[in-house]
């Protein structure tokens, strides 16, 4: 679990670093220029990280399913080698998906005053600026991106359906039935924070949605979600809560000692 959480945290740190500084610079100093190569690089890494996160969340859902429904085989099924292979597979899927968008977008012709109406180089604002035909790009966006989004989402839903069925058929006590859901609450919250805005923004990706709504939705999953995820996972972890209480207790104790020392010096 901690190996997968570590991978998820790395993705969120890189994602926030990729989009945050440019967005803050634009808010403080107005519209900032970006080269075409830099725009393509931002496009590539944004799609790479988001699609990798989608597959990684499906992997975490499967891990919860094995831990709850088949706990005796959990260490065997989700061995360190298996977790490493699943993490590499999620990155490979994300890289191939992002590379397709980057290569296809680089083949388009852009003319005139190119002003990206977004706070980062997303695929839809870039396609709106192209002078050449974008039908193949839109087909790729409709088919491949929707599959990358909905495929892991279907696996997550299937895993939780099995967890619900197992819980209500095999667990007799009321307290025992609620325990798996409290265990999965953090993961379900993160899934909701990612998939609700992404489904609005990319499914179907060719719908004529307003620019303002697209920017707001993109801001939610690119900046707000990475900022909230550390709190979602750490505050529900008993070890983290205990460590936080110890740290706060030591700080308050040290502050009381400093206050007493200052009082004695004044006297």
């Amino acid at each position: 679990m901690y190996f997968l959480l570590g991978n998820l945290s790395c993705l969120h740190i890189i994602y926030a670093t990729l989009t945050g500084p440019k967005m803050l610079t634009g808010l403080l100093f107005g519209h900032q220029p970006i080269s075409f190569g830099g725009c393509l690089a931002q496009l590539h890494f944004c799609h790479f990280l988001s699609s990798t996160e989608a597959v990684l969340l499906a992997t975490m859902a499967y891990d919860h399913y094995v831990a709850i429904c088949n706990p005796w085989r959990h260490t065997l099924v989700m061995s360190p080698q298996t977790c490493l292979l699943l993490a590499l597979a999620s990155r490979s899927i994300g890289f191939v998906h992002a590379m397709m968008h980057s290569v296809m977008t680089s083949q388009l012709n852009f003319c005139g005053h190119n002003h990206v109406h977004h706070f980062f180089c997303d695929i839809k604002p870039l396609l709106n600026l192209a002078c050449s035909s974008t039908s193949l790009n839109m087909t790729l966006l409709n088919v491949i991106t929707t599959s990358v989004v909905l495929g892991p989402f279907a696996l997550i839903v299937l895993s939780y359906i099995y967890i619900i069925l197992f819980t209500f058929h095999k667990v007799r006590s009321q307290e025992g039935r609620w325990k798996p859901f409290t265990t999965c609450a953090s993961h379900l919250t993160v899934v909701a924070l990612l998939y609700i805005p992404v489904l609005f923004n990319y499914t179907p990706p060719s719908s004529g949605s307003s620019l303002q709504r697209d920017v707001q939705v993109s801001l939610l999953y690119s900046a707000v979600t990475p900022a909230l995820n550390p709190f979602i996972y750490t505050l529900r972890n008993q070890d983290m809560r205990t460590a936080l209480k110890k740290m706060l207790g030591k700080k308050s104790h040290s502050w009381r000692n400093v206050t007493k020392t200052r009082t004695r010096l004044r006297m």
Side-chain angles (χ1 to χ4, degrees), residues 12 15-16 19-20 23 119-120 217-226:
H12 289 159
Y15 205 125
T19 59
M23 177 184 65
F119 62 90
F120 72 96
V217 169
S218 299
L219 180 64
L220 186 62
Y221 70 78
S222 64
V224 177
T225 301

Side-chain angles (χ1 to χ4, degrees), residues 4-5 7-9 11-12 49-50 52-61 64 153 156 160 181-199 220-222 224-236:
L4 297 176
L5 281 177
N7 279 269
L8 186 66
S9 299
L11 293 178
H12 289 159
L49 295 170
S50 57
T52 301
E53 182 181 358
V55 180
L56 193 63
L57 287 175
T59 303
M60 295 173 71
H64 285 310
F153 183 71
I156 292 171
Y160 279 106
F181 297 106
T182 57
T183 303
C184 302
S186 299
H187 181 259
L188 285 171
T189 305
V190 173
V191 169
L193 286 173
L194 174 69
Y195 271 99
I196 290 175
V198 167
L199 290 174
L220 186 62
Y221 70 78
S222 64
V224 177
T225 301
L228 289 178
N229 283 352
F231 297 100
I232 293 170
Y233 276 105
T234 55
L235 294 180
R236 290 194 59 83

Side-chain angles (χ1 to χ4, degrees), residues 29 63 65 79 103 105 126-127 129 135 137 164 180 194 205 209 219:
F29 303 106
D63 176 64
Y65 157 72
S79 63
V103 172
T105 306
L126 282 180
L127 294 181
L129 297 177
S135 57
N137 299 74
I164 292 171
L194 174 69
S209 57
L219 180 64

Side-chain angles (χ1 to χ4, degrees), residues 14-221:
I14 299 171
Y15 205 125
T17 306
L18 189 68
T19 59
K22 198 71 177 177
M23 177 184 65
L24 294 175
T25 304
L27 291 174
L28 292 174
F29 303 106
H31 299 296
Q32 295 294 307
I34 185 171
S35 65
F36 183 64
C39 197
L40 281 180
Q42 197 177 55
L43 168 71
H44 174 83
F45 283 105
C46 284
H47 279 272
F48 165 64
L49 295 170
S50 57
S51 51
T52 301
E53 182 181 358
V55 180
L56 193 63
L57 287 175
T59 303
M60 295 173 71
Y62 177 72
D63 176 64
H64 285 310
Y65 157 72
V66 178
I68 294 171
C69 300
N70 202 350
W72 302 111
R73 291 176 54 84
H74 181 249
T75 55
L76 179 64
V77 175
M78 297 299 293
S79 63
Q81 294 81 6
T82 303
C83 291
L84 181 61
L85 288 175
L86 290 172
L88 292 175
S90 65
R91 282 169 169 75
S92 300
I93 293 172
F95 179 80
V96 172
H97 173 238
M99 185 59 69
M100 285 191 294
H101 280 301
S102 303
V103 172
M104 293 298 297
T105 306
S106 65
Q107 305 302 314
L108 297 174
N109 294 322
F110 296 89
C111 52
H113 182 67
N114 295 318
H115 178 75
V116 181
H117 297 280
H118 215 286
F119 62 90
F120 72 96
C121 290
D122 203 1
I123 183 66
K124 291 168 70 177
L126 282 180
L127 294 181
N128 292 332
L129 297 177
C131 299
S132 54
S133 174
T134 60
S135 57
L136 187 58
N137 299 74
M138 292 305 300
T139 302
L140 178 67
L141 192 62
N142 280 315
V143 177
I144 305 299
T145 303
T146 304
S147 300
V148 171
V149 170
L150 294 183
F153 183 71
L155 292 175
I156 292 171
V157 172
L158 189 64
S159 297
Y160 279 106
I161 288 175
Y162 276 111
I163 290 173
I164 292 171
L165 293 175
F166 174 84
T167 302
F168 282 94
H169 282 86
K170 301 294 183 180
V171 181
R172 301 300 178 187
S173 65
Q174 193 71 20
E175 182 181 354
R177 286 180 176 179
W178 279 108
K179 189 175 181 180
F181 297 106
T182 57
T183 303
C184 302
S186 299
H187 181 259
L188 285 171
T189 305
V190 173
V191 169
L193 286 173
L194 174 69
Y195 271 99
I196 290 175
V198 167
L199 290 174
F200 268 105
N201 214 18
Y202 289 106
T203 311
S206 59
S207 61
S209 57
S210 65
L211 174 65
Q212 184 179 4
R213 195 203 71 172
D214 285 349
V215 173
Q216 291 172 349
V217 169
S218 299
L219 180 64
L220 186 62
Y221 70 78

